[in-house]
Amino acid sequence: SYVLTQPPSVSVAPGKTARIACGGNTIGSKGVHWYQQKPGQAPLLLMYYDSDRPSGIPERFSGSISGNTATLTISRVEAGDEADYYCQVWDSNNDHIVVFGGGTKLTVL
Amino acid sequence: QLQLQESGPGVVKPSETLSLTCTVSGGSISSVSYSWGWIRQAPGRGLEWIEIIYYSGGITFYNPSLKSRVTMSADTSKNQFSLKLSSVTAADTAVYYCARLSDLSGYPYFDSWGQGTLVTVSS
């Protein structure tokens, strides 16, 4: 089955840039989506189709793909960005299933 | 504005069937533009997809690990869709979310989520 691999945690100082990786085989062909989940809240769609932002998501959030890795980049990190971040793809090659990465806890120092 | 609201028992006994309903407002589950799904999150764990229903085609897709125990249905008259998970164990204790699935390019994503409901499996 298809697997998405994320680092368990990333730490960054306020005002700096955070990069959260999501690795998967031929991930560039699958359309990667990202969600932000703050404690006690439902996930929020942060990025879709690799790099498109839903309305209301700040431009500080951006997405990219390189090789077998998708990256969520958060510029000028704020304390309010501290959350869990999940990547997600649709694996149409394997019984048409949704695959989530294990999630990355972003800590703002 | 689209809203999704999960409802159902907060406690289910082991070996019994968990039943949840998602009520949608501000949009129709009959829309051919969207599909609907369930996702869960065990305490302190990540997101686990359960099931998706493409209402327009009546097609459902399941997490293979849960397929034998899961049933999803929709009631367009009430603008609701439901989840049944049979033979539950403590491992099924989780927050259950319903969500809308958007798909414009063959790569679907969840663009709107309910607030989630905690279901505890306990005798």
Side-chain angles (χ1 to χ4, degrees), chain A residues 44-63:
Chain A
L44 172 72
L45 179 67
L46 200 62
M47 198 77 54
Y48 61 101
Y49 299 148
D50 303 338
S51 58
D52 288 344
R53 280 187 311 274
S55 60
I57 301 301
E59 292 183 3
R60 300 186 297 106
F61 293 88
S62 62

Side-chain angles (χ1 to χ4, degrees), chain B residues 9-18 87-94 96 118-123:
Chain B
V11 180
V12 180
K13 290 182 168 56
S15 80
E16 295 190 345
T17 296
L18 178 161
S87 305
V88 297
T89 69
D92 295 309
T93 293
Y96 286 75
L118 174 62
V119 179
T120 301
V121 178
S122 174
S123 55

Side-chain angles (χ1 to χ4, degrees), chain A residues 18-92:
Chain A
R19 294 179 178 85
I20 298 173
C22 173
N25 189 37
T26 64
I27 195 172
S29 66
K30 294 191 177 295
V32 182
H33 318 301
W34 291 91
Y35 303 87
Q36 176 193 63
Q37 186 180 32
K38 296 183 178 180
Q41 297 185 16
L44 172 72
L45 179 67
L46 200 62
M47 198 77 54
Y48 61 101
Y49 299 148
D50 303 338
S51 58
D52 288 344
R53 280 187 311 274
S55 60
I57 301 301
E59 292 183 3
R60 300 186 297 106
F61 293 88
S62 62
S64 62
I65 302 277
S66 179
N68 286 329
T69 302
T71 301
L72 175 70
T73 300
I74 310 172
S75 304
R76 302 181 299 283
V77 167
E78 303 173 356
D81 298 331
E82 188 161 288
D84 293 325
Y85 293 84
Y86 295 90
C87 56
Q88 176 247 311
V89 301
W90 173 254
D91 183 18
S92 59

Side-chain angles (χ1 to χ4, degrees), chain B residues 32-76:
Chain B
V32 297
S33 301
Y34 300 103
S35 302
W36 308 90
W38 290 95
I39 304 99
R40 70 180 183 178
Q41 186 172 35
R45 305 295 296 273
L47 301 172
E48 180 182 30
W49 166 66
I50 300 172
E51 187 173 5
I52 288 169
I53 184 166
Y54 280 80
Y55 177 75
S56 60
I59 300 171
T60 54
F61 297 110
Y62 304 88
N63 183 327
S65 68
L66 298 170
K67 183 175 182 176
S68 64
R69 299 195 291 132
V70 171
T71 303
M72 190 171 173
S73 61
D75 185 338
T76 56

